[in-house]
Amino acid sequence: MYGDFSDVMEKSDERMEVVLLATGSFNPITVMHLRLFELARDYLHGTGKYKVVKGIISPVSDGYKKRGLVEGSHRLAMAQLATENCDWIEVDPWECLKKEWTETALALRHYQRLQTCTGHTGAMEKKPGHRKGQKRKRNNVREDVPDYHCPEGRAPPRVKLLCGADMLESLGVPNLWKPEHVVEIVSSFGLVCITRMGSDASKFIYESDVLWKHRDNIHLVQEWITNDISSTKVRRALRRGMSVRYLVPDAVLDYIKEHDLYSEESEGKNSDLILEPFLRNSTTPQQ
Ligand SMILES: Nc1ncnc2c1ncn2[C@@H]1O[C@H](COP(=O)(O)OP(=O)(O)OP(=O)(O)O)[C@@H](O)[C@H]1O
Ligand SMILES: NC(=O)c1ccc[n+]([C@@H]2O[C@H](COP(=O)(O)O)[C@@H](O)[C@H]2O)c1
Ligand SMILES: [Zn+2]
């Protein structure tokens, strides 16, 4: 009889460890936001090259000034309720608690910097982030992103931006993103993009020289079980007194009702303001 040594012999795992970062309004968080993480993880694992070790939801600051954006404390609380039964997705308040809006490239740098050999991000840990020793190549990192120290000589997990195809397409909206940030996101970090109704991500990548150049670092994930859930539609239904049950987790729905979050009045918030990225990119010289 041959013994099974799998328990005693550690198999070397050369896969790159990945942390998925989803930024957005999450106003409110929907089940589709949670699905993005599942789809991305399945896809990356399916390549055999990546091991997803964590997902981070980073709700945007109130300073983003998007129309209808309810207070960050509520959006954070709802995201926390939505992920309470999930052992690998965390909600991180770093962006949301800041008064000023944070550009996504800066958020990616922040989370990458926080990665250590234990994969600690600063978010509340759900499980001790312990992983066994792995022989790893050091990854290429931007020169202006601080070097990451790994006492055991292992490379830390790499943070990748997780988004829907509409967010990918938003990279082409004039004055919404700094061109150098777009380059940084696709070259230094990488994107995992989930298809979305109404957006053609492949075409957008094809038509953008920058995205085309870095297409190997953009993972396009086809969602076959399509659904068109969006926070905008959820808010609209709520304003009209219609059910959104099963579109948002039950605990989120209870929270929305308890705090009477979405109304004509809340939808009018920021309606007279310019979205912060437009304001910033059109008034300050690019750095
Ligand atoms: N149904 C969906 N399919 C694919 N991606 C989605 C879907 N819903 C949200 N996302 C993605 O989730 C991230 C956060 O999005 P966001 O908070 O803006 O949600 P949203 O549903 O698009 O809300 P809103 O309608 O207010 O814009 C973005 O990257 C967005 O593309
Ligand atoms: N220049 C930038 O870094 C930039 C521009 C627009 C949106 N974003 C981010 O993308 C996300 C978009 O969220 P919404 O789709 O809800 O508007 C937010 O997290 C926002 O901070 C970043
Ligand atoms: Zn959106």
Side-chain angles (χ1 to χ4, degrees):
M1 277 272 291
Y2 297 105
D4 178 0
F5 291 100
S6 56
D7 288 344
V8 286
M9 285 181 65
E10 195 184 314
K11 286 190 192 134
S12 87
D13 187 347
E14 294 289 327
R15 291 178 300 168
M16 178 192 283
E17 292 189 343
V18 168
V19 170
L20 293 169
L21 173 69
T23 62
S25 300
F26 303 103
N27 184 37
I29 193 164
T30 70
V31 292
M32 197 54 210
H33 290 128
L34 303 172
R35 291 280 306 149
L36 300 185
F37 284 93
E38 296 291 322
L39 289 159
R41 185 169 71 159
D42 274 359
Y43 174 87
L44 291 176
H45 286 179
T47 66
K49 295 182 191 162
Y50 304 97
K51 179 181 174 190
V52 176
V53 294
K54 188 178 295 196
I56 304 173
I57 293 175
S58 179
V60 78
S61 148
D62 293 348
Y64 185 45
K65 300 194 193 118
K66 188 169 175 174
R67 188 191 164 109
L69 195 64
V70 304
E71 260 174 53
S73 57
H74 289 312
R75 291 180 290 111
L76 268 180
M78 290 187 283
Q80 263 147 4
L81 288 169
T83 52
E84 63 190 351
N85 295 322
C86 178
D87 63 0
W88 70 280
I89 306 173
E90 297 168 354
V91 180
D92 197 298
W94 182 76
E95 265 195 82
C96 199
L97 292 182
K98 287 203 285 183
K99 198 165 165 282
E100 301 292 329
W101 169 68
T102 305
E103 289 162 306
T104 297
L106 273 56
L108 283 160
R109 286 183 209 166
H110 166 79
Y111 287 110
Q112 186 62 74
R113 219 177 282 126
L114 288 182
Q115 295 307 312
T116 67
C117 291
T118 56
H120 180 70
T121 66
M124 197 188 285
E125 294 279 346
K126 293 203 167 168
K127 290 192 299 196
H130 176 75
R131 281 180 301 286
K132 295 196 175 145
Q134 293 161 354
K135 205 173 126 210
R136 291 298 218 62
K137 283 187 205 132
R138 202 158 177 82
N139 299 300
N140 297 325
V141 288
R142 276 175 58 93
E143 281 173 9
D144 58 347
V145 177
D147 197 9
Y148 312 110
H149 297 288
C150 247
E152 296 165 46
R154 284 181 287 127
R158 304 309 311 263
V159 179
K160 292 190 180 295
L161 185 63
L162 171 62
C163 69
D166 60 310
M167 188 160 152
L168 180 84
E169 288 183 343
S170 85
L171 298 176
V173 175
N175 287 331
L176 191 58
W177 299 78
K178 287 184 181 141
E180 62 272 31
H181 281 180
V182 174
V183 173
E184 180 177 349
I185 290 169
V186 291
S187 62
S188 299
F189 297 101
L191 270 171
V192 184
C193 174
I194 314 293
T195 56
R196 189 170 191 179
M197 277 181 200
S199 297
D200 190 342
S202 310
K203 186 163 177 269
F204 185 74
I205 294 166
Y206 165 70
E207 288 177 350
S208 156
D209 285 344
V210 173
L211 300 193
W212 183 257
K213 183 175 171 194
H214 297 285
R215 63 190 180 283
D216 287 350
N217 215 10
I218 304 173
H219 302 274
L220 199 50
V221 183
Q222 178 71 44
E223 164 57 303
W224 291 109
I225 311 172
T226 54
N227 73 57
D228 201 11
I229 300 178
S230 78
S231 300
T232 300
K233 288 182 178 175
V234 167
R235 294 196 304 277
R236 183 181 296 138
L238 286 163
R239 285 200 302 282
R240 295 177 184 178
M242 294 164 82
S243 169
V244 295
R245 194 145 192 220
Y246 311 122
L247 300 180
V248 300
D250 285 349
V252 172
L253 184 52
D254 292 343
Y255 187 95
I256 291 171
K257 291 197 167 153
E258 189 188 332
H259 296 271
D260 195 12
L261 282 192
Y262 296 107
S263 58
E264 295 273 339
E265 193 195 337
S266 70
E267 199 60 22
K269 275 187 82 172
N270 299 332
S271 55
D272 52 345
L273 301 179
I274 297 171
L275 196 72
E276 185 62 15
F278 288 130
L279 202 62
R280 230 182 256 189
N281 292 331
S282 53
T283 55
T284 55
Q286 304 205 338
Q287 35 173 308

